[in-house]
Amino acid sequence: VVDLTPDGRQVWVTSEEDATVTFIDTANNKVIKTIKVGERPRNTAFSADGGKAFISGEFDRSVRIVDTTSLDVVNTVKLADETLRPMDVKLTNDGKRLFVSTGRGQKILVLDASTLATIGEIPAGARPWREDVRSTAGGHGRLPERAGRTGNSRDRLATAAGRPDCAGPHRK
């Protein structure tokens, strides 16, 4: 995956085979640093202020926080359940919660973005991979638009999370 930092100064490139992230300076197209992260890193989500990034590691069931100044891993959590394979990660606009899709684990995990502690689980149907967390007037993230490979499970997710305002058809 290739991601541009919020300030546009760096490109972060995950390597599934090498279990690394390489940081590239966009001003001169030079590699700044490469670090080891979780096995088969899948996606990156940046905090609104650009100070932190969250990276999922599918094969070792990990989520890592990387400090975007030092470019070092500052916190890691390994998911205990072997069926939970972190795929996509999305941060709410207020930066307090991180939604993590779990593939064959059939759930969206809700993590505290500071501690990476699991604060909730939402049933998501078969093989949720990609999430679309949308902003609401209150600054909270909406639930994933399409959580499963086999159709839109938004209504079930919204009901499970106690967020009926998130249910129903929504388009980009």
Side-chain angles (χ1 to χ4, degrees):
V1 174
V2 177
D3 286 300
L4 186 65
T5 57
D7 64 9
R9 293 181 181 178
Q10 295 174 5
V11 170
W12 290 27
V13 182
T14 59
S15 171
E16 290 182 356
E17 200 163 306
D18 295 334
T20 60
V21 175
T22 298
F23 311 102
I24 300 169
D25 185 321
T26 58
N28 61 21
N29 298 324
K30 304 261 185 211
V31 172
I32 301 166
K33 184 177 185 177
T34 299
I35 64 170
K36 286 283 190 184
V37 292
E39 295 174 28
R40 196 174 190 199
R42 297 291 277 178
N43 283 296
T44 304
F46 293 96
S47 61
D49 67 2
K52 294 188 276 188
F54 300 83
I55 300 174
S56 60
E58 179 186 3
F59 286 171
D60 68 348
R61 303 182 326 273
S62 68
V63 177
R64 287 174 168 73
I65 299 176
V66 174
D67 179 286
T68 61
T69 301
S70 68
L71 301 178
D72 291 318
V73 175
V74 296
N75 195 2
T76 302
V77 65
K78 184 169 183 170
L79 305 179
D81 184 339
E82 291 191 22
T83 66
L84 303 178
R85 301 292 180 123
M87 305 293 271
D88 200 12
V89 288
K90 296 291 188 220
L91 197 60
T92 56
N93 290 347
D94 62 9
K96 293 181 180 179
R97 294 176 294 153
L98 183 71
F99 290 92
V100 181
S101 62
T102 63
R104 291 186 173 115
Q106 299 184 6
K107 300 176 187 177
I108 302 294
L109 295 181
V110 184
L111 305 184
D112 178 292
S114 296
T115 65
L116 295 181
T118 300
I119 57 175
E121 294 182 357
I122 305 166
R127 302 175 83 172
W129 286 327
R130 186 124 175 101
E131 302 168 54
D132 182 7
V133 177
R134 306 206 176 200
S135 117
T136 62
H140 302 288
R142 285 186 178 254
L143 295 172
E145 176 72 28
R146 283 184 307 247
R149 187 177 122 174
T150 57
N152 189 336
S153 51
R154 181 179 194 77
D155 292 334
R156 184 176 39 186
L157 286 167
T159 301
R163 295 283 310 275
D165 60 311
C166 294
H170 297 276
R171 303 283 181 240
K172 289 185 179 181

